Each structure stands twice: as C-alpha cells, then as structure tokens.
Amino acid sequence: MRVRIYLTRDEYARSGTEAPVCVVIDVLRATSSIVTALAHGCAAVVPVAEVPRARALGAERAWLVAGERNGVKLPGFHFGNSPREMTSPQLRGKTLVITTTNGTATIMTGSRAKLCLVASLLNLSSTAEAVLAAGGEVAVVCSGTEGRFSLDDYYVACALTTLLTSCLEPSGKAARRARFILQRYPDPLDALRASAHGQRLQRLGFGEDLVWCARVDAFPVVARWNRGAVVASRQSPVSGTARLLRSMPGAAKGRAAGRRQSWPPDFCPALHPVAFPAPVVAPYCCP
Ligand code: 3SL
Ligand code: MG
C-alpha cells in the first residue's frame, strides 16, 4: 500500500495521479456534514459545486437542499452546512443535494478514482478499514481553505495515514511529520480550533460544530461515491480492522461529555495480524 497526502484539491488535480483509491477530507465541515447525514438515515448525498445547480436539482427532483457560502446557509435552502443540522429526521430515506465552498468540489474531483471515500474524524476507523480492504495506491486529498493548506484537514489526513500505517512501523519524514502533528494536538478539537478555518467558524458562531466534528469514530459509516452520489455502507460490527482500531485506547469512544480523549492511541503491534491479507509494506510519503 502506498499512501500519499495531497494538501489541496489543486495539488491533487495537478499531480495527475491515477491512484485507484481517493479519500477526500473537508472536516470543517462538508465531509463531516455528509457523514452525519448518512449516519442518520439520509439515503444519498449529491455534492454539486454550483449554487444554481443545487437549487435546480432540488426543484426538479424534489430533493432536499443544503449548502453554504461564506459559512452561512443559502437563502431558500432547507439546511446550511452545519453537521448538527444533519441529524434531522426530515433526511431519513431522502436524497440531499449539497453545495459548499470547497468540500463538494473536492469530492467531485476525487470521484474520478475507482474508489472515492468521504472521510472525517467521525468515520475515521471505518474509512481506514475500507482503505485497507481496497489496498493499492491511496491518495488522501485535503480540501484546504481557499486553495491553501488547512491544518484541520491535514490533521485528519495525518490521523488516517497513521492508522493505516500504524502496524507497518513506517519510517521516513512524512510519517514522522504525521505523528508530530498528532502529538502536538492530542485532542483533535484543539487542532480544529487552532486551524484558520476553525477560528473563522468560531467567530461566525459555529463553535459547537467543531466539537461535533472532533468526535473520533462517532459513526461506523463508510461513505463512498457511487454513481453521482455519496452513499453509506455500514460495517459489520465484527469486522476486523475497525474493531481493532476502535479497541485502541481512546480512539473510538467519541467525545463523551467532558472527557478528554487520548489521541493518538499507543500504536500497538498487535494490530498487525488483521483480517486482511498481510499489509504490504508501505512506502509512506507526502509532499
Ligand atoms: O468549504 C467547504 O466546503 C465548507 O465546508 C466550508 S464551511 O465550513 O461550511 O464554511
Ligand atoms: Mg474546509
């Protein structure tokens, strides 16, 4: 397995990589919102880049519509882009169209890969398990903010790649950098709060969204692109890697009231013999 982190959508697009697996991250807030919606029974989430297109699809197909520009809900839309809105019973069994500043465009770019997964902290281990099951070359794509590096997305990319390679004793600069970031922010909420976009969201009054988005493994959902929409496949409760990853100290319990998580967990060599074909040695790199 080869894992490479792309710091922005443009960097990924320019690279021309043909990695068969692409994991898209916009933890604040598009991918967290999509994962939350799917975890609460939404049948499919259709990401679109443009506001008029979202509006038109909503009207033509009687789909629910969500989205933001500058962080704020768009006029006439059913929902903004707060993941906490995505628990609404209105979404159960329905299709939701969503347009956001960055995240939805990044998903569409990543959707050209054979397998495109939508990741957040909320579904971190589930995503890791799906990636391990797929194997091969993996592009982890951070949406970034306004075309630039964004700590919030990079933190999730580091957490994911560290999980993926934890049993492989990764060496090298990139792996060390990822571990450094996780050690610098043992609590994911601190990383989200420290990021420029996190600070902006807090100023806009969305501080509680950061708390929501920081809950590691709150939902056992694999969110994957399937013919024009993001859909969920729920994991079997007995599946190998996810169960092992979740059993790691502090990794899985989410953010219980007032309890600080210990993250990253101690990476345990016992993770090595998982239910998948022996993990292939992972050259591990990022720019
Ligand atoms: O850029 C995006 O896709 C959004 O998630 C940004 S915001 O958090 O809704 O402002
Ligand atoms: Mg973002």
Side-chain angles (χ1 to χ4, degrees):
M1 178 183 289
R2 186 171 201 274
V3 183
R4 186 177 178 106
I5 297 174
Y6 295 87
L7 299 179
T8 63
R9 172 173 74 240
D10 285 351
E11 187 180 286
Y12 170 69
R14 274 198 315 266
S15 75
T17 175
E18 294 188 356
V21 181
C22 176
V23 181
V24 176
I25 299 166
D26 183 12
V27 62
L28 297 177
R29 297 168 293 173
T31 58
S32 299
S33 291
I34 292 171
V35 168
T36 302
L38 295 173
H40 288 81
C42 180
V45 182
V46 178
V48 302
E50 307 296 339
V51 177
R53 173 93 182 120
R55 227 184 268 286
L57 279 173
E60 280 160 24
R61 315 220 180 157
W63 286 342
L64 293 165
V65 188
E68 58 67 40
R69 283 302 178 268
N70 300 317
V72 179
K73 180 179 167 187
L74 289 156
F77 279 34
H78 300 96
F79 305 98
N81 185 30
S82 167
R84 290 175 301 139
E85 293 176 86
M86 302 299 160
T87 60
S88 165
Q90 244 189 302
L91 288 165
R92 193 166 288 275
K94 297 279 170 43
T95 297
L96 176 71
V97 187
I98 188 166
T99 179
T100 69
T101 312
N102 274 315
T104 50
T106 311
I107 294 169
M108 295 175 76
T109 306
S111 69
R112 291 176 212 136
K114 247 189 189 156
L115 173 65
C116 173
L117 298 167
V118 170
S120 64
L121 290 168
L122 297 170
N123 66 338
L124 188 70
S125 296
S126 301
T127 305
E129 181 182 28
V131 170
L132 283 170
E137 198 178 337
V138 184
V140 177
V141 184
C142 301
S143 284
T145 300
E146 288 163 14
R148 292 196 305 270
F149 169 85
S150 206
L151 172 66
D152 46 331
D153 293 335
Y154 183 58
Y155 181 86
V156 182
C158 288
L160 179 69
T161 51
T162 303
L163 278 183
L164 290 172
T165 56
S166 61
C167 49
L168 303 171
E169 298 182 31
S171 55
K173 248 205 290 195
R176 283 202 302 278
R177 197 179 304 152
R179 280 175 187 258
F180 171 80
I181 290 287
L182 298 181
Q183 274 148 11
R184 167 73 182 78
Y185 298 104
D187 187 329
L189 182 54
D190 292 338
L192 300 189
R193 283 182 173 151
S195 68
H197 188 53
Q199 288 178 15
R200 190 164 166 274
L201 287 172
Q202 290 173 85
R203 284 196 297 276
L204 287 170
F206 292 118
E208 281 305 307
D209 281 0
L210 273 61
V211 175
W212 184 275
C213 295
R215 297 181 313 151
V216 176
D217 286 346
F219 305 126
V221 164
V222 176
R224 66 184 167 82
W225 180 264
N226 183 27
R227 288 182 287 184
V230 183
V231 296
S233 40
R234 241 162 238 283
Q235 289 179 314
S236 128
V238 292
S239 63
T241 306
R243 185 167 48 78
L244 281 166
L245 292 171
R246 288 195 194 102
S247 71
M248 292 158 75
K253 307 288 180 272
R255 195 177 177 76
R259 187 174 57 75
R260 289 180 77 83
Q261 293 176 49
S262 90
W263 180 268
D266 291 331
F267 291 105
C268 148
L271 273 176
H272 191 84
V274 292
F276 296 98
V280 201
V281 173
Y284 175 101
C285 56
C286 73

